[in-house]
Amino acid sequence: MLSHSPTEHRVPSSIYTVVQPQQPTMAMDLSSAYEQQQEGRVEEVFAVINDNGDLLAEVLGRLDGRSLAAAGCVCRVWAGVSRRESVWEAVCGRHVEGGAAAGAGARPVVAALGGYRRLYRLCLGPAADRLGAAARLSLSLSLSLFSIDCYERRLGRERGHPRPASLLFLDHYNPVDVS
Amino acid sequence: GRSDRYFKKKKEKMKRGHQDILHGGGGWYAVAPEMERGKRKTTMGAAEEGGDVDELLAALGYKVRSSEMADVAHKLEQLEMAMVSSAATNDDALLSHLASDTVHYNPSDLITWVDNILSELNAPPPPLPTPQSLPSADAYDLEPLPALPAPATPLVLGSDPQSEVAPSPRDRKRMKVCSSPPSSSTTTDAATSAAAALPVVVVDSQEAGIRLVHALLAGAEAVQQDNLKAADALVKQISLLATSQGGAMRKVAGYFAEALARRIYRPQPRGGVGCCSFDSVAFDDMLHMHFYESCPFLKFAHFTANQAILEAFAGCRRVHVVDFGMRQGMQWPALLQALALRPGGPPSFRLTGIGPPQPDNSDALQEVGWKLAQLAESIRVDFRYRGFVAASLADLEPYMLLDQDADGGGGGKDEEPEVVAVNSVFELHRLLARPGALEKVLGTVRAVRPRIVTVVEQEANHNGGTFQERFTEALHYYSTMFDSLEGGAAAAGADDGGPDQALSEMYLGRQICNVVACEGAERTERHETLAQWRGRMDRAGFEPVPIGSNAFKQASMLLALFAGGDGYRVEEKDGCLTLGWHTRPLIATSAWRVAAPAEDPLSALAAR
């Protein structure tokens, strides 16, 4: 039987849980786990994905935007991981002309302008909906639009404007709300 | 007979004082044998009781007092309406009744005659004729109008969906001015001029659209000829006809009618302010902002200009941009971002923003600069800003734009000189309102030795020729602009674009008002075509810099993102980029640099 780790939020010190016949599962680190396996004392070595945020991030980062947003509704661990900028950076990289390599140096700028998650929600996601498989937005165009949005928010804050509207032209297709 | 046609013309003249009005519809039917008297001249009998009699009609044998003319005309129109509509339904009862021998009234006393005929009719409202299918309106190729439900007005308006021509928008030719009436139309005629006298009139909305265009052009002609009474009547007719239209045409007609009305009723310029009721700069900026947000024109302008500037700044470590129309500074975040991410890292960036004086003394220009500075700081671009308030760009002097900061790094001489870009989006045409202003400004621009000058202007000639020519050009141009706004909303699946679209239309409406109703220094919307600007820039000592394919690609991609993007067209023409709606270019971006000087001034002089 599987037993979950005592708390979901504990930072996993061990990666793998080990099953021994008729014994409760045990958490231990990777090298001990393999040692025990070599010695034939374990049947199964597996990892609980919720213990391993990085692994989860790797997996979720391969999803498309909508699925990733949906994944964020599964549980608190998943919600936390799915909000990581690195995950959305991977998603954005797949929607941009030139792929992830093109955007490598853009990280500080994207972070300053509002982050990859927002970049996807406001620009790349709606653009993907609009353009379909036909074309991909160039990084420069998407960042230009993103910078306009960021600037409008700054302007709006002073004047109490509800919401920057320059990118609303992308909105007509009801993009996924990942907030 | 001939007298009938003459009388019809005379009647028209009485009502509208203008002969070019399209007056299709049913012909004049002989009512009673007495009318066929022809041109036999009868001398007038003894002087009539009361006022003097119209001489021309008297020559034909009809006695009508001048004071009664309008009344008679009106009643004759009613009579015609009734007869035409019955003819359209092939209902001969009315005509045969009128043509019968039983009762004849002497039409020479015209007003009594027409009163008698009308009272004799005593008929219920004429039955609604089924709208005939019109000839394809290829001479007027208006936007196919959506079939609207009839509005609750005295006019019952309908259009037979089958009779609507639905040409492919891409093949649509633009309207041509045509003075001959469309043939073979038998629908009721000039319903609008009968005003509220008739309870029910049916007008085919497509034909009404054609009449509307004619009325607009006729109104312009009337104004051109200083025939203000006719123009006034036409404006009323335009407003009435406009209600039969839907969408873009109705709004455009409304704005043009209002502008014409302003021109007729307020010829004196009022102290230099624009011809709009609400003149605050803040309101103007707000409209501009909505126009920016809701349609792609300004974004296109900014993106293409930025690309040209970015390319001109390649490899430079110190750059300076002068913006002739700073407003909210929406153009610059994208350029800052692009500079931040360019290979080799961002340059040191200086921005000079020019703006009009603010009536409430608020420092909007500085605020904008401050916001941009914050953005620049967050993306690690070294940024300096300077704002200049100027009522006119012609007030600028070169020293204001040159780099004066001696503390820009300590060793002034060691530093690279600044590379300057001058940017003007929809600002240069205003200078044409004052003679010499453009030349002065272009001289100032030359004096700062810019690496590149980016100019975006409307692609239309609203500054040449006669008032009538200007009006016609503007009607074409703004109809297309409004079409594009409608197209965008429709493609997004909305019934209308909501407040953004309405405010964008208002933004354009103010331009329309200025083009049509203002003159002299007040008329600042003096748009000229790319070809004309080429000439001006050339004479001022600039040579064109081709805008590269990167800008074209980016602009095309941007337009693809807009709902209704199908209608927009990005085109490249002689190194300039234009954005248009279907086949009509609407705005053009061009780039310039100071032309290489002649080798030797003396030899150049000798060559002349």
Side-chain angles (χ1 to χ4, degrees):
Chain A
M1 286 290 130
L2 269 176
S3 74
H4 295 285
S5 42
T7 60
E8 285 177 355
H9 304 294
R10 137 180 97 88
V11 173
S13 56
S14 58
I15 298 176
Y16 297 99
T17 334
V18 174
V19 171
Q20 288 172 319
Q22 273 97 52
Q23 294 284 327
T25 56
M26 283 170 55
M28 57 180 65
D29 60 287
L30 176 59
S31 51
S32 317
Y34 275 123
E35 208 182 283
Q36 298 225 2
Q37 192 175 40
Q38 304 287 29
E39 293 165 11
R41 285 155 54 193
V42 303
E43 277 186 10
E44 237 181 281
V45 176
F46 63 91
V48 172
I49 195 77
N50 273 18
D51 279 351
N52 192 339
D54 294 339
L55 188 58
L56 182 60
E58 271 295 324
V59 172
L60 293 184
R62 284 163 166 73
L63 290 174
D64 64 282
R66 274 196 170 74
S67 309
L68 179 54
C73 307
V74 167
C75 65
R76 265 179 282 180
V77 173
W78 284 44
V81 172
S82 71
R83 277 174 159 70
R84 287 191 194 178
E85 278 290 289
S86 57
V87 173
W88 285 100
E89 183 179 348
V91 176
C92 287
R94 275 181 280 113
H95 283 87
V96 140
E97 195 185 56
R107 203 176 290 154
V109 171
V110 175
L113 294 176
Y116 284 96
R117 191 159 149 265
R118 192 178 171 89
L119 173 64
Y120 187 84
R121 170 162 77 93
L122 288 180
C123 298
L124 292 175
D129 288 342
R130 182 64 49 81
L131 299 173
R136 284 185 177 177
L137 220 52
S138 67
L139 181 68
S140 65
L141 181 58
S142 55
L143 289 181
S144 296
L145 293 170
F146 197 41
S147 62
I148 292 168
D149 169 75
C150 173
Y151 178 65
E152 261 192 317
R153 273 181 290 135
R154 286 173 190 276
L155 282 180
R157 234 173 264 146
E158 291 278 309
R159 291 123 199 245
H161 283 176
R163 156 179 196 187
S166 281
L167 299 194
L168 278 183
F169 71 95
L170 289 170
D171 245 4
H172 292 296
Y173 282 4
N174 302 316
V176 176
D177 186 358
V178 300
S179 55
Chain B
R2 257 163 289 167
S3 66
D4 313 325
R5 275 198 294 277
Y6 167 81
F7 193 81
K8 184 163 138 176
K9 261 207 158 141
K10 179 75 184 172
K11 175 193 74 173
E12 282 185 14
K13 245 198 162 119
M14 289 191 290
K15 287 225 82 177
R16 301 164 202 151
H18 187 80
Q19 274 171 355
D20 260 9
I21 310 293
L22 171 64
H23 199 68
W28 181 266
Y29 291 88
V31 178
E34 273 77 354
M35 288 292 279
E36 298 261 286
R37 244 187 290 181
K39 287 201 296 254
R40 173 171 40 117
K41 275 195 180 193
T42 53
T43 52
M44 284 309 305
E48 310 308 297
E49 69 278 17
D52 43 1
V53 172
D54 183 85
E55 286 180 342
L56 293 168
L57 284 170
L60 285 175
Y62 301 115
K63 288 180 283 189
V64 185
R65 278 197 283 276
S66 302
S67 52
E68 289 167 350
M69 293 275 268
D71 196 30
V72 170
H74 183 64
K75 288 185 174 142
L76 282 166
E77 261 182 331
Q78 285 181 287
L79 186 58
E80 177 184 344
M81 208 73 64
M83 287 165 35
V84 166
S85 61
S86 71
T89 52
N90 295 316
D91 173 18
D92 284 331
L94 179 62
L95 285 181
S96 51
H97 164 77
L98 292 172
S100 75
D101 286 327
T102 45
V103 182
H104 284 309
Y105 295 107
N106 184 350
S108 63
D109 182 1
L110 201 50
I111 190 159
T112 319
W113 179 85
V114 78
D115 274 338
N116 287 332
I117 296 286
L118 275 177
S119 59
E120 226 189 54
L121 286 181
N122 226 3
L128 310 185
T130 52
Q132 310 294 314
S133 69
L134 282 180
S136 72
D138 53 286
Y140 306 104
D141 279 331
L142 302 166
E143 176 83 58
L145 305 158
L148 287 181
T153 64
L155 293 172
V156 172
L157 305 158
S159 76
D160 181 345
Q162 281 90 32
S163 75
E164 273 186 25
V165 181
S168 151
R170 285 158 188 70
D171 301 336
R172 208 164 23 111
K173 302 189 290 277
R174 288 313 309 172
M175 303 183 284
K176 299 197 284 260
V177 177
C178 176
S179 55
S180 61
S183 55
S184 69
S185 162
T186 57
T187 52
T188 51
D189 153 71
T192 54
S193 55
L198 285 180
V200 167
V201 176
V202 172
V203 177
D204 184 305
S205 72
Q206 193 163 28
E207 170 147 344
I210 296 168
R211 290 177 202 284
L212 176 60
V213 172
H214 272 264
L216 281 163
L217 298 172
E221 190 180 347
V223 167
Q224 167 96 13
Q225 293 168 352
D226 232 356
N227 188 346
L228 297 186
K229 262 171 120 177
D232 178 49
L234 281 162
V235 168
K236 295 193 174 70
Q237 191 177 12
I238 291 165
S239 304
L240 209 44
L241 280 166
T243 60
S244 73
Q245 302 301 296
M249 196 59 211
R250 184 183 75 240
K251 299 171 197 175
V252 171
Y255 281 113
F256 274 90
E258 186 190 329
L260 272 176
R262 279 182 197 269
R263 193 184 178 94
I264 295 167
Y265 290 114
R266 220 185 63 186
Q268 278 76 36
R270 264 194 218 161
V273 292
C275 56
C276 341
S277 46
F278 195 6
D279 261 316
S280 95
V281 176
F283 186 70
D284 217 38
D285 268 358
M286 185 269 288
L287 290 182
H288 187 267
M289 196 59 186
H290 278 93
F291 186 68
Y292 177 86
E293 285 167 0
S294 74
C295 55
F297 299 104
L298 285 173
K299 290 193 184 78
F300 168 86
H302 294 172
F303 276 62
T304 47
N306 280 347
Q307 190 63 33
I309 295 172
L310 189 67
E311 287 170 14
F313 282 171
C316 307
R317 303 298 327 156
R318 287 180 70 225
V319 302
H320 177 202
V321 172
V322 178
D323 187 0
F324 276 173
M326 191 64 186
R327 293 184 189 259
Q328 302 296 307
M330 298 298 292
Q331 183 171 350
W332 307 117
L335 182 65
L336 285 170
Q337 168 276 128
L339 289 171
L341 287 177
R342 71 172 190 175
S348 168
F349 185 87
R350 189 159 87 90
L351 178 63
T352 300
I354 321 283
Q358 300 273 357
D360 57 351
N361 285 329
S362 68
D363 209 354
L365 215 47
Q366 280 307 116
E367 260 184 59
V368 167
W370 176 231
K371 294 283 173 227
L372 285 169
Q374 288 178 330
L375 181 80
E377 197 201 2
S378 74
I379 58 176
R380 307 267 200 279
V381 176
D382 178 42
F383 181 85
R384 278 183 299 153
Y385 175 80
R386 195 144 175 217
F388 271 109
V389 170
S392 161
L393 290 173
D395 298 340
L396 287 174
E397 300 291 338
Y399 74 84
M400 299 174 186
L401 304 177
L402 293 169
D403 191 7
Q404 298 167 288
D405 293 342
D407 58 2
K413 284 245 162 71
D414 299 336
E415 286 198 10
E416 248 179 74
E418 260 188 357
V419 174
V420 181
V422 177
N423 179 79
S424 158
V425 175
F426 298 149
E427 293 293 335
L428 288 189
H429 62 257
R430 297 176 201 285
L431 298 168
L432 299 175
R434 269 173 44 204
L438 178 72
E439 288 70 24
K440 167 138 198 288
V441 171
L442 291 180
T444 306
V445 171
R446 285 195 59 168
V448 301
R449 320 290 311 162
R451 180 72 61 92
I452 194 157
V453 180
T454 47
V455 175
V456 184
E457 285 290 329
Q458 289 90 343
E459 180 62 6
N461 183 2
H462 296 153
N463 195 28
T466 60
F467 167 75
Q468 199 174 349
E469 288 166 12
R470 197 165 85 225
F471 184 93
T472 312
E473 259 290 305
L475 189 58
H476 281 65
Y477 181 82
Y478 286 103
S479 298
T480 314
M481 285 292 280
F482 274 69
D483 277 351
S484 75
L485 293 180
E486 287 283 318
D495 280 337
D496 70 72
D500 260 348
Q501 188 186 346
L503 290 167
S504 300
E505 288 165 356
M506 204 184 296
Y507 170 84
L508 295 173
R510 281 154 80 94
Q511 291 181 7
I512 292 171
C513 192
N514 190 276
V515 172
V516 171
C518 299
E519 282 301 340
E522 258 203 342
R523 177 158 62 90
T524 51
E525 298 294 337
R526 292 181 184 255
H527 312 145
E528 290 193 347
T529 61
L530 186 55
Q532 290 171 287
W533 285 110
R534 257 194 247 276
R536 289 187 186 276
M537 294 300 280
D538 198 56
R539 286 190 292 279
F542 291 90
E543 65 185 15
V545 174
I547 297 188
S549 59
N550 278 333
F552 182 86
K553 277 186 230 155
Q554 219 189 35
S556 304
M557 180 69 71
L558 173 71
L559 266 308
L561 292 175
F562 272 85
D566 284 353
Y568 292 109
R569 294 253 182 286
V570 176
E571 275 165 1
E572 186 270 343
K573 191 181 166 192
D574 297 332
C576 304
L577 292 185
T578 63
L579 173 60
W581 177 254
H582 294 131
T583 54
R584 167 79 204 238
L586 293 169
I587 66 172
T589 305
S590 56
W592 307 86
R593 63 172 164 239
V594 178
E599 317 78 53
D600 177 23
L602 284 179
S603 66
L605 210 56
R608 295 224 182 109

